[in-house]
PDB file of all heavy atoms in Angstrom:
ATOM      1  N   LYS A 102     -17.430   8.180 -48.759  1.00  0.00           N
ATOM      2  CA  LYS A 102     -17.137   8.580 -50.135  1.00  0.00           C
ATOM      3  C   LYS A 102     -17.339  10.096 -50.208  1.00  0.00           C
ATOM      4  O   LYS A 102     -18.470  10.583 -50.146  1.00  0.00           O
ATOM      5  CB  LYS A 102     -18.077   7.865 -51.093  1.00  0.00           C
ATOM      6  CG  LYS A 102     -17.863   8.201 -52.541  1.00  0.00           C
ATOM      7  CD  LYS A 102     -18.761   7.339 -53.408  1.00  0.00           C
ATOM      8  CE  LYS A 102     -18.779   7.829 -54.836  1.00  0.00           C
ATOM      9  NZ  LYS A 102     -19.746   7.051 -55.631  1.00  0.00           N
ATOM     10  N   ILE A 103     -16.235  10.822 -50.294  1.00  0.00           N
ATOM     11  CA  ILE A 103     -16.288  12.289 -50.297  1.00  0.00           C
ATOM     12  C   ILE A 103     -16.412  12.758 -51.746  1.00  0.00           C
ATOM     13  O   ILE A 103     -15.599  12.389 -52.595  1.00  0.00           O
ATOM     14  CB  ILE A 103     -15.018  12.886 -49.648  1.00  0.00           C
ATOM     15  CG1 ILE A 103     -14.827  12.307 -48.238  1.00  0.00           C
ATOM     16  CG2 ILE A 103     -15.091  14.404 -49.614  1.00  0.00           C
ATOM     17  CD1 ILE A 103     -13.529  12.704 -47.564  1.00  0.00           C
ATOM     18  N   TRP A 104     -17.460  13.544 -52.005  1.00  0.00           N
ATOM     19  CA  TRP A 104     -17.768  13.929 -53.384  1.00  0.00           C
ATOM     20  C   TRP A 104     -16.622  14.597 -54.115  1.00  0.00           C
ATOM     21  O   TRP A 104     -16.246  14.181 -55.194  1.00  0.00           O
ATOM     22  CB  TRP A 104     -18.960  14.898 -53.400  1.00  0.00           C
ATOM     23  CG  TRP A 104     -20.270  14.290 -53.035  1.00  0.00           C
ATOM     24  CD1 TRP A 104     -21.075  14.661 -51.991  1.00  0.00           C
ATOM     25  CD2 TRP A 104     -20.959  13.229 -53.709  1.00  0.00           C
ATOM     26  NE1 TRP A 104     -22.201  13.887 -51.974  1.00  0.00           N
ATOM     27  CE2 TRP A 104     -22.159  13.002 -53.020  1.00  0.00           C
ATOM     28  CE3 TRP A 104     -20.657  12.449 -54.817  1.00  0.00           C
ATOM     29  CZ2 TRP A 104     -23.081  12.032 -53.393  1.00  0.00           C
ATOM     30  CZ3 TRP A 104     -21.568  11.483 -55.195  1.00  0.00           C
ATOM     31  CH2 TRP A 104     -22.759  11.275 -54.497  1.00  0.00           C
ATOM     32  N   ASN A 105     -16.107  15.648 -53.551  1.00  0.00           N
ATOM     33  CA  ASN A 105     -15.131  16.459 -54.290  1.00  0.00           C
ATOM     34  C   ASN A 105     -14.137  17.069 -53.299  1.00  0.00           C
ATOM     35  O   ASN A 105     -14.320  18.188 -52.839  1.00  0.00           O
ATOM     36  CB  ASN A 105     -15.882  17.566 -55.055  1.00  0.00           C
ATOM     37  CG  ASN A 105     -14.946  18.439 -55.863  1.00  0.00           C
ATOM     38  OD1 ASN A 105     -13.877  18.003 -56.278  1.00  0.00           O
ATOM     39  ND2 ASN A 105     -15.340  19.691 -56.071  1.00  0.00           N
ATOM     40  N   PRO A 106     -13.079  16.333 -52.955  1.00  0.00           N
ATOM     41  CA  PRO A 106     -12.158  16.835 -51.924  1.00  0.00           C
ATOM     42  C   PRO A 106     -11.510  18.168 -52.322  1.00  0.00           C
ATOM     43  O   PRO A 106     -11.118  18.356 -53.477  1.00  0.00           O
ATOM     44  CB  PRO A 106     -11.097  15.743 -51.830  1.00  0.00           C
ATOM     45  CG  PRO A 106     -11.706  14.534 -52.437  1.00  0.00           C
ATOM     46  CD  PRO A 106     -12.682  15.016 -53.463  1.00  0.00           C
ATOM     47  N   THR A 107     -11.402  19.048 -51.354  1.00  0.00           N
ATOM     48  CA  THR A 107     -10.713  20.328 -51.557  1.00  0.00           C
ATOM     49  C   THR A 107      -9.707  20.524 -50.426  1.00  0.00           C
ATOM     50  O   THR A 107      -9.721  19.777 -49.441  1.00  0.00           O
ATOM     51  CB  THR A 107     -11.726  21.504 -51.565  1.00  0.00           C
ATOM     52  OG1 THR A 107     -12.601  21.354 -50.449  1.00  0.00           O
ATOM     53  CG2 THR A 107     -12.553  21.509 -52.841  1.00  0.00           C
ATOM     54  N   THR A 108      -8.864  21.521 -50.573  1.00  0.00           N
ATOM     55  CA  THR A 108      -7.731  21.669 -49.650  1.00  0.00           C
ATOM     56  C   THR A 108      -8.145  21.867 -48.189  1.00  0.00           C
ATOM     57  O   THR A 108      -7.381  21.554 -47.286  1.00  0.00           O
ATOM     58  CB  THR A 108      -6.819  22.835 -50.089  1.00  0.00           C
ATOM     59  OG1 THR A 108      -7.640  23.943 -50.464  1.00  0.00           O
ATOM     60  CG2 THR A 108      -5.993  22.440 -51.285  1.00  0.00           C
ATOM     61  N   ASP A 109      -9.369  22.356 -47.960  1.00  0.00           N
ATOM     62  CA  ASP A 109      -9.783  22.586 -46.571  1.00  0.00           C
ATOM     63  C   ASP A 109     -10.074  21.285 -45.818  1.00  0.00           C
ATOM     64  O   ASP A 109     -10.211  21.304 -44.593  1.00  0.00           O
ATOM     65  CB  ASP A 109     -11.010  23.506 -46.523  1.00  0.00           C
ATOM     66  CG  ASP A 109     -12.159  22.986 -47.366  1.00  0.00           C
ATOM     67  OD1 ASP A 109     -11.895  22.354 -48.414  1.00  0.00           O
ATOM     68  OD2 ASP A 109     -13.324  23.189 -46.989  1.00  0.00           O
ATOM     69  N   ILE A 110     -10.159  20.164 -46.537  1.00  0.00           N
ATOM     70  CA  ILE A 110     -10.426  18.904 -45.814  1.00  0.00           C
ATOM     71  C   ILE A 110      -9.243  17.942 -45.925  1.00  0.00           C
ATOM     72  O   ILE A 110      -9.392  16.730 -45.824  1.00  0.00           O
ATOM     73  CB  ILE A 110     -11.735  18.230 -46.281  1.00  0.00           C
ATOM     74  CG1 ILE A 110     -11.687  17.907 -47.765  1.00  0.00           C
ATOM     75  CG2 ILE A 110     -12.922  19.124 -45.954  1.00  0.00           C
ATOM     76  CD1 ILE A 110     -12.687  16.827 -48.143  1.00  0.00           C
ATOM     77  N   ALA A 111      -8.042  18.505 -46.113  1.00  0.00           N
ATOM     78  CA  ALA A 111      -6.830  17.686 -46.094  1.00  0.00           C
ATOM     79  C   ALA A 111      -6.437  17.475 -44.646  1.00  0.00           C
ATOM     80  O   ALA A 111      -6.833  18.255 -43.783  1.00  0.00           O
ATOM     81  CB  ALA A 111      -5.709  18.408 -46.830  1.00  0.00           C
ATOM     82  N   GLY A 112      -5.676  16.453 -44.372  1.00  0.00           N
ATOM     83  CA  GLY A 112      -5.150  16.272 -43.025  1.00  0.00           C
ATOM     84  C   GLY A 112      -5.198  14.834 -42.560  1.00  0.00           C
ATOM     85  O   GLY A 112      -5.173  13.902 -43.357  1.00  0.00           O
ATOM     86  N   GLU A 113      -5.291  14.702 -41.237  1.00  0.00           N
ATOM     87  CA  GLU A 113      -5.183  13.401 -40.601  1.00  0.00           C
ATOM     88  C   GLU A 113      -6.574  12.789 -40.418  1.00  0.00           C
ATOM     89  O   GLU A 113      -7.403  13.356 -39.707  1.00  0.00           O
ATOM     90  CB  GLU A 113      -4.522  13.624 -39.247  1.00  0.00           C
ATOM     91  CG  GLU A 113      -4.157  12.375 -38.521  1.00  0.00           C
ATOM     92  CD  GLU A 113      -3.642  12.701 -37.129  1.00  0.00           C
ATOM     93  OE1 GLU A 113      -2.423  12.901 -36.986  1.00  0.00           O
ATOM     94  OE2 GLU A 113      -4.460  12.771 -36.191  1.00  0.00           O
ATOM     95  N   TYR A 114      -6.813  11.670 -41.064  1.00  0.00           N
ATOM     96  CA  TYR A 114      -8.093  10.971 -40.943  1.00  0.00           C
ATOM     97  C   TYR A 114      -7.934   9.787 -39.993  1.00  0.00           C
ATOM     98  O   TYR A 114      -7.049   8.956 -40.175  1.00  0.00           O
ATOM     99  CB  TYR A 114      -8.581  10.498 -42.319  1.00  0.00           C
ATOM    100  CG  TYR A 114      -9.245  11.616 -43.093  1.00  0.00           C
ATOM    101  CD1 TYR A 114      -8.505  12.447 -43.928  1.00  0.00           C
ATOM    102  CD2 TYR A 114     -10.607  11.856 -42.961  1.00  0.00           C
ATOM    103  CE1 TYR A 114      -9.114  13.486 -44.622  1.00  0.00           C
ATOM    104  CE2 TYR A 114     -11.230  12.891 -43.649  1.00  0.00           C
ATOM    105  CZ  TYR A 114     -10.477  13.703 -44.470  1.00  0.00           C
ATOM    106  OH  TYR A 114     -11.080  14.730 -45.149  1.00  0.00           O
ATOM    107  N   LYS A 115      -8.821   9.756 -39.013  1.00  0.00           N
ATOM    108  CA  LYS A 115      -8.781   8.665 -38.044  1.00  0.00           C
ATOM    109  C   LYS A 115     -10.090   7.892 -38.108  1.00  0.00           C
ATOM    110  O   LYS A 115     -11.167   8.485 -38.034  1.00  0.00           O
ATOM    111  CB  LYS A 115      -8.606   9.240 -36.638  1.00  0.00           C
ATOM    112  CG  LYS A 115      -8.592   8.180 -35.546  1.00  0.00           C
ATOM    113  CD  LYS A 115      -8.806   8.800 -34.160  1.00  0.00           C
ATOM    114  CE  LYS A 115      -7.499   9.232 -33.535  1.00  0.00           C
ATOM    115  NZ  LYS A 115      -7.699   9.789 -32.172  1.00  0.00           N
ATOM    116  N   CYS A 116      -9.979   6.580 -38.292  1.00  0.00           N
ATOM    117  CA  CYS A 116     -11.161   5.727 -38.210  1.00  0.00           C
ATOM    118  C   CYS A 116     -11.207   5.177 -36.794  1.00  0.00           C
ATOM    119  O   CYS A 116     -10.221   4.633 -36.297  1.00  0.00           O
ATOM    120  CB  CYS A 116     -11.044   4.588 -39.219  1.00  0.00           C
ATOM    121  SG  CYS A 116     -12.307   3.328 -38.968  1.00  0.00           S
ATOM    122  N   PHE A 117     -12.358   5.363 -36.149  1.00  0.00           N
ATOM    123  CA  PHE A 117     -12.500   4.977 -34.747  1.00  0.00           C
ATOM    124  C   PHE A 117     -13.705   4.052 -34.623  1.00  0.00           C
ATOM    125  O   PHE A 117     -14.819   4.438 -34.972  1.00  0.00           O
ATOM    126  CB  PHE A 117     -12.688   6.242 -33.909  1.00  0.00           C
ATOM    127  CG  PHE A 117     -12.733   5.983 -32.443  1.00  0.00           C
ATOM    128  CD1 PHE A 117     -11.584   6.023 -31.677  1.00  0.00           C
ATOM    129  CD2 PHE A 117     -13.942   5.691 -31.817  1.00  0.00           C
ATOM    130  CE1 PHE A 117     -11.634   5.781 -30.315  1.00  0.00           C
ATOM    131  CE2 PHE A 117     -13.990   5.438 -30.452  1.00  0.00           C
ATOM    132  CZ  PHE A 117     -12.827   5.482 -29.692  1.00  0.00           C
ATOM    133  N   VAL A 118     -13.476   2.821 -34.184  1.00  0.00           N
ATOM    134  CA  VAL A 118     -14.548   1.834 -34.096  1.00  0.00           C
ATOM    135  C   VAL A 118     -14.666   1.372 -32.653  1.00  0.00           C
ATOM    136  O   VAL A 118     -13.658   1.012 -32.033  1.00  0.00           O
ATOM    137  CB  VAL A 118     -14.249   0.612 -34.996  1.00  0.00           C
ATOM    138  CG1 VAL A 118     -15.394  -0.394 -34.935  1.00  0.00           C
ATOM    139  CG2 VAL A 118     -14.016   1.051 -36.437  1.00  0.00           C
ATOM    140  N   SER A 119     -15.884   1.413 -32.130  1.00  0.00           N
ATOM    141  CA  SER A 119     -16.048   0.953 -30.756  1.00  0.00           C
ATOM    142  C   SER A 119     -17.288   0.077 -30.618  1.00  0.00           C
ATOM    143  O   SER A 119     -18.212   0.160 -31.430  1.00  0.00           O
ATOM    144  CB  SER A 119     -16.133   2.144 -29.803  1.00  0.00           C
ATOM    145  OG  SER A 119     -17.268   2.929 -30.109  1.00  0.00           O
ATOM    146  N   THR A 120     -17.257  -0.767 -29.603  1.00  0.00           N
ATOM    147  CA  THR A 120     -18.427  -1.573 -29.224  1.00  0.00           C
ATOM    148  C   THR A 120     -18.552  -1.436 -27.711  1.00  0.00           C
ATOM    149  O   THR A 120     -17.752  -0.739 -27.081  1.00  0.00           O
ATOM    150  CB  THR A 120     -18.233  -3.062 -29.573  1.00  0.00           C
ATOM    151  OG1 THR A 120     -17.125  -3.544 -28.825  1.00  0.00           O
ATOM    152  CG2 THR A 120     -17.999  -3.257 -31.053  1.00  0.00           C
ATOM    153  N   PHE A 121     -19.538  -2.136 -27.177  1.00  0.00           N
ATOM    154  CA  PHE A 121     -19.726  -2.106 -25.724  1.00  0.00           C
ATOM    155  C   PHE A 121     -18.433  -2.500 -25.005  1.00  0.00           C
ATOM    156  O   PHE A 121     -18.076  -1.924 -23.986  1.00  0.00           O
ATOM    157  CB  PHE A 121     -20.865  -3.062 -25.341  1.00  0.00           C
ATOM    158  CG  PHE A 121     -21.120  -3.097 -23.876  1.00  0.00           C
ATOM    159  CD1 PHE A 121     -21.702  -2.016 -23.225  1.00  0.00           C
ATOM    160  CD2 PHE A 121     -20.763  -4.219 -23.121  1.00  0.00           C
ATOM    161  CE1 PHE A 121     -21.920  -2.034 -21.865  1.00  0.00           C
ATOM    162  CE2 PHE A 121     -20.973  -4.244 -21.752  1.00  0.00           C
ATOM    163  CZ  PHE A 121     -21.560  -3.148 -21.120  1.00  0.00           C
ATOM    164  N   ALA A 122     -17.719  -3.468 -25.584  1.00  0.00           N
ATOM    165  CA  ALA A 122     -16.594  -4.057 -24.863  1.00  0.00           C
ATOM    166  C   ALA A 122     -15.220  -3.510 -25.226  1.00  0.00           C
ATOM    167  O   ALA A 122     -14.281  -3.650 -24.453  1.00  0.00           O
ATOM    168  CB  ALA A 122     -16.594  -5.573 -25.118  1.00  0.00           C
ATOM    169  N   ASP A 123     -15.101  -2.901 -26.382  1.00  0.00           N
ATOM    170  CA  ASP A 123     -13.746  -2.632 -26.871  1.00  0.00           C
ATOM    171  C   ASP A 123     -13.746  -1.488 -27.882  1.00  0.00           C
ATOM    172  O   ASP A 123     -14.814  -1.051 -28.338  1.00  0.00           O
ATOM    173  CB  ASP A 123     -13.204  -3.915 -27.526  1.00  0.00           C
ATOM    174  CG  ASP A 123     -11.700  -3.888 -27.730  1.00  0.00           C
ATOM    175  OD1 ASP A 123     -11.017  -3.046 -27.114  1.00  0.00           O
ATOM    176  OD2 ASP A 123     -11.213  -4.721 -28.522  1.00  0.00           O
ATOM    177  N   GLU A 124     -12.563  -1.029 -28.248  1.00  0.00           N
ATOM    178  CA  GLU A 124     -12.445  -0.006 -29.289  1.00  0.00           C
ATOM    179  C   GLU A 124     -11.087  -0.103 -29.951  1.00  0.00           C
ATOM    180  O   GLU A 124     -10.144  -0.684 -29.395  1.00  0.00           O
ATOM    181  CB  GLU A 124     -12.641   1.392 -28.701  1.00  0.00           C
ATOM    182  CG  GLU A 124     -11.620   1.735 -27.638  1.00  0.00           C
ATOM    183  CD  GLU A 124     -11.871   3.097 -27.003  1.00  0.00           C
ATOM    184  OE1 GLU A 124     -13.036   3.378 -26.659  1.00  0.00           O
ATOM    185  OE2 GLU A 124     -10.911   3.856 -26.858  1.00  0.00           O
ATOM    186  N   ASP A 125     -11.014   0.468 -31.151  1.00  0.00           N
ATOM    187  CA  ASP A 125      -9.734   0.489 -31.875  1.00  0.00           C
ATOM    188  C   ASP A 125      -9.761   1.681 -32.824  1.00  0.00           C
ATOM    189  O   ASP A 125     -10.837   2.168 -33.188  1.00  0.00           O
ATOM    190  CB  ASP A 125      -9.544  -0.822 -32.658  1.00  0.00           C
ATOM    191  CG  ASP A 125      -8.089  -1.029 -33.111  1.00  0.00           C
ATOM    192  OD1 ASP A 125      -7.204  -0.248 -32.701  1.00  0.00           O
ATOM    193  OD2 ASP A 125      -7.845  -1.985 -33.878  1.00  0.00           O
ATOM    194  N   PHE A 126      -8.595   2.173 -33.192  1.00  0.00           N
ATOM    195  CA  PHE A 126      -8.555   3.242 -34.196  1.00  0.00           C
ATOM    196  C   PHE A 126      -7.296   3.114 -35.035  1.00  0.00           C
ATOM    197  O   PHE A 126      -6.345   2.426 -34.658  1.00  0.00           O
ATOM    198  CB  PHE A 126      -8.635   4.637 -33.557  1.00  0.00           C
ATOM    199  CG  PHE A 126      -7.422   5.016 -32.759  1.00  0.00           C
ATOM    200  CD1 PHE A 126      -6.327   5.612 -33.385  1.00  0.00           C
ATOM    201  CD2 PHE A 126      -7.369   4.792 -31.397  1.00  0.00           C
ATOM    202  CE1 PHE A 126      -5.201   5.967 -32.653  1.00  0.00           C
ATOM    203  CE2 PHE A 126      -6.246   5.142 -30.659  1.00  0.00           C
ATOM    204  CZ  PHE A 126      -5.163   5.725 -31.283  1.00  0.00           C
ATOM    205  N   SER A 127      -7.342   3.788 -36.190  1.00  0.00           N
ATOM    206  CA  SER A 127      -6.184   3.810 -37.072  1.00  0.00           C
ATOM    207  C   SER A 127      -6.212   5.115 -37.871  1.00  0.00           C
ATOM    208  O   SER A 127      -7.284   5.640 -38.161  1.00  0.00           O
ATOM    209  CB  SER A 127      -6.234   2.590 -37.985  1.00  0.00           C
ATOM    210  OG  SER A 127      -5.089   2.541 -38.778  1.00  0.00           O
ATOM    211  N   ILE A 128      -5.010   5.609 -38.199  1.00  0.00           N
ATOM    212  CA  ILE A 128      -4.888   6.959 -38.774  1.00  0.00           C
ATOM    213  C   ILE A 128      -4.127   6.946 -40.098  1.00  0.00           C
ATOM    214  O   ILE A 128      -3.142   6.230 -40.236  1.00  0.00           O
ATOM    215  CB  ILE A 128      -4.121   7.870 -37.781  1.00  0.00           C
ATOM    216  CG1 ILE A 128      -4.949   8.065 -36.512  1.00  0.00           C
ATOM    217  CG2 ILE A 128      -3.756   9.212 -38.393  1.00  0.00           C
ATOM    218  CD1 ILE A 128      -4.222   8.789 -35.398  1.00  0.00           C
ATOM    219  N   LYS A 129      -4.596   7.750 -41.048  1.00  0.00           N
ATOM    220  CA  LYS A 129      -3.857   7.958 -42.317  1.00  0.00           C
ATOM    221  C   LYS A 129      -4.019   9.414 -42.738  1.00  0.00           C
ATOM    222  O   LYS A 129      -5.052  10.034 -42.480  1.00  0.00           O
ATOM    223  CB  LYS A 129      -4.426   7.082 -43.441  1.00  0.00           C
ATOM    224  CG  LYS A 129      -4.038   5.612 -43.368  1.00  0.00           C
ATOM    225  CD  LYS A 129      -2.829   5.306 -44.261  1.00  0.00           C
ATOM    226  CE  LYS A 129      -2.248   3.939 -44.014  1.00  0.00           C
ATOM    227  NZ  LYS A 129      -3.013   2.869 -44.653  1.00  0.00           N
ATOM    228  N   ASN A 130      -3.015   9.919 -43.466  1.00  0.00           N
ATOM    229  CA  ASN A 130      -3.072  11.304 -43.946  1.00  0.00           C
ATOM    230  C   ASN A 130      -3.544  11.401 -45.380  1.00  0.00           C
ATOM    231  O   ASN A 130      -3.245  10.524 -46.184  1.00  0.00           O
ATOM    232  CB  ASN A 130      -1.687  11.932 -43.887  1.00  0.00           C
ATOM    233  CG  ASN A 130      -1.408  12.489 -42.521  1.00  0.00           C
ATOM    234  OD1 ASN A 130      -2.189  13.267 -41.984  1.00  0.00           O
ATOM    235  ND2 ASN A 130      -0.304  12.074 -41.930  1.00  0.00           N
ATOM    236  N   MET A 131      -4.230  12.464 -45.679  1.00  0.00           N
ATOM    237  CA  MET A 131      -4.601  12.744 -47.066  1.00  0.00           C
ATOM    238  C   MET A 131      -4.165  14.168 -47.406  1.00  0.00           C
ATOM    239  O   MET A 131      -4.534  15.122 -46.728  1.00  0.00           O
ATOM    240  CB  MET A 131      -6.116  12.593 -47.271  1.00  0.00           C
ATOM    241  CG  MET A 131      -6.532  12.792 -48.719  1.00  0.00           C
ATOM    242  SD  MET A 131      -8.269  12.377 -49.023  1.00  0.00           S
ATOM    243  CE  MET A 131      -9.055  13.918 -48.545  1.00  0.00           C
ATOM    244  N   ILE A 132      -3.360  14.282 -48.468  1.00  0.00           N
ATOM    245  CA  ILE A 132      -2.926  15.597 -48.954  1.00  0.00           C
ATOM    246  C   ILE A 132      -3.839  15.980 -50.109  1.00  0.00           C
ATOM    247  O   ILE A 132      -4.146  15.137 -50.956  1.00  0.00           O
ATOM    248  CB  ILE A 132      -1.465  15.541 -49.470  1.00  0.00           C
ATOM    249  CG1 ILE A 132      -0.507  15.145 -48.346  1.00  0.00           C
ATOM    250  CG2 ILE A 132      -1.048  16.869 -50.090  1.00  0.00           C
ATOM    251  CD1 ILE A 132       0.945  14.991 -48.792  1.00  0.00           C
TER     252      ILE A 132
END
Side-chain angles (χ1 to χ4, degrees):
K102 180 175 169 185
I103 305 174
W104 290 120
N105 181 27
T107 47
T108 43
D109 55 327
I110 59 159
E113 188 186 270
Y114 279 90
K115 178 196 272 182
C116 169
F117 185 91
V118 182
S119 62
T120 62
F121 180 71
D123 196 16
E124 60 183 46
D125 196 8
F126 68 87
S127 184
I128 294 172
K129 284 264 169 79
N130 275 307
M131 184 171 84
I132 298 177

